[in-house]
Structures are given as C-alpha cells and as structure tokens.
Amino acid sequence: MSYLVAAVVLVGLLCMVNLLLTVGVIRRLRRQAAQADAHADPMRGEGLVPGDRLPDFAATTTGGEPISGELLGGPALVGFFSVGCEPCEKLLPRFVEHARRTQDAVLAVVAAEPGEPSEAYVDQLAQVARVVHETPGGPVQSAFKVTGYPTVLRISADGTVVSSDHVMPVAAGT
C-alpha cells in the first residue's frame, strides 16, 4: 500500500511540474506574439502614414533629371522596390500598369547594392516613371522613412500622404 501512495504522490508532483512548465510556455508565447504584432507591419510603426506631408528630398533620376519634393509635385504615385525582393518582383508589373493609366506624377526608387543586376527594374520603370537608383537605405528612402519593400505611397495634390502600403493602393481618378 505504501508503494501505491508513493506512486500517487509522485504522479501528483509530476503533474504540478508539468502545469508550471505549461504556464511558463504559454506566457512566453503570449509575450512573443505581442512583440510580433508590434513589428508585423513596419509601415505602421515607422515610415510615412496617411496625413504626413511629402518629405524634403533631392536626387537625380537615371535620366540625369533632378527630382525633389517641389519638382515631384502632387498628386503623385511613389514606389520603392528592392532588387531580389520576391514581393517587389510580383508587384512591379502591376505598378507599371497602374502608372501607365494614371495622370499623376510617378516616381520609382530602385534599391540595389553595387553590382546587383537592377537594369530590368530600371528599364521597366523608366517607361512610366522618373526612376532613382540608389543603395538600400539611400537618401530618398531615408527621407520617405521606407523600412520594407515594396512600398507604394500615394501623395495628394497638396503634398499629403493619402496612402502608404506594401501593395498597390486603391486609387481614385486612376
């Protein structure tokens, strides 16, 4: 009988240890989920959001034309793409098609490290937009606070950001 009591006490203790470990795992998973939610969409925590003003920036396009916030004007469509980014490759044809149909000014920024093959991006975008080619984290990307690729912004006529997302915005008047 004493063996039976010892076995029941041992099983009870093992159940308590299991319960404590399970509670610890659940707490850790909840904490990690909360951190992941805070960082799930980088455009929400950082970057330009609707209502922000068009930032000051200056660059030279691949065609040698100077471009700045003043020269871009509004309304405008601005796209940021990175070479080797699979979502960028998927969005690029849609962005080009959208840019063909819009009356807005269109600016495209291609981010690529020196030596990366960015010609295909630049060639496609140059048909419909003024294109700036710079290294990741370059001055135009910094001015627009771009933290992820692709990023597409729609700027209103008064220079206010109307939308900022990683997909094509639904646009009025396109």
Side-chain angles (χ1 to χ4, degrees):
M1 183 74 170
S2 62
Y3 290 115
L4 184 60
V5 170
V8 168
V9 168
L10 181 61
V11 167
L13 288 173
L14 287 173
C15 287
M16 291 300 285
V17 168
N18 186 25
L19 180 64
L20 289 173
L21 290 173
T22 302
V23 168
V25 167
I26 290 171
R27 290 180 76 195
R28 175 172 278 173
L29 288 173
R30 284 184 178 167
R31 196 173 323 126
Q32 288 176 346
Q35 289 173 349
D37 286 344
H39 300 295
D41 187 357
M43 293 304 292
R44 299 296 172 243
E46 298 179 33
L48 298 179
V49 295
D52 286 348
R53 301 288 301 159
L54 179 67
D56 291 330
F57 70 95
T60 303
T61 67
T62 54
E65 172 189 4
I67 187 77
S68 66
E70 289 179 9
L71 294 173
L72 180 62
L77 179 66
V78 183
F80 293 86
F81 300 92
S82 178
V83 173
C85 158
E86 187 175 327
C88 296
E89 291 175 13
K90 290 180 180 178
L91 182 66
L92 187 64
R94 290 181 44 221
F95 182 87
V96 169
E97 183 58 35
H98 186 83
R100 281 189 211 290
R101 295 188 320 248
T102 188
Q103 297 298 315
D104 299 349
V106 181
L107 173 65
V109 178
V110 176
E113 292 291 345
E116 281 187 303
S118 58
E119 297 81 20
Y121 281 69
V122 172
D123 291 345
Q124 285 183 17
L125 291 165
Q127 298 172 19
V128 295
R130 290 179 267 185
V131 180
V132 173
H133 185 272
E134 61 185 19
T135 59
V140 178
Q141 296 160 75
S142 296
F144 280 85
K145 301 177 185 174
V146 172
T147 59
Y149 302 98
T151 297
V152 179
L153 297 106
R154 180 164 294 288
I155 311 294
S156 69
D158 69 354
T160 303
V161 175
V162 175
S163 67
S164 173
D165 208 339
H166 298 289
V167 295
M168 286 301 303
V170 177
T174 311

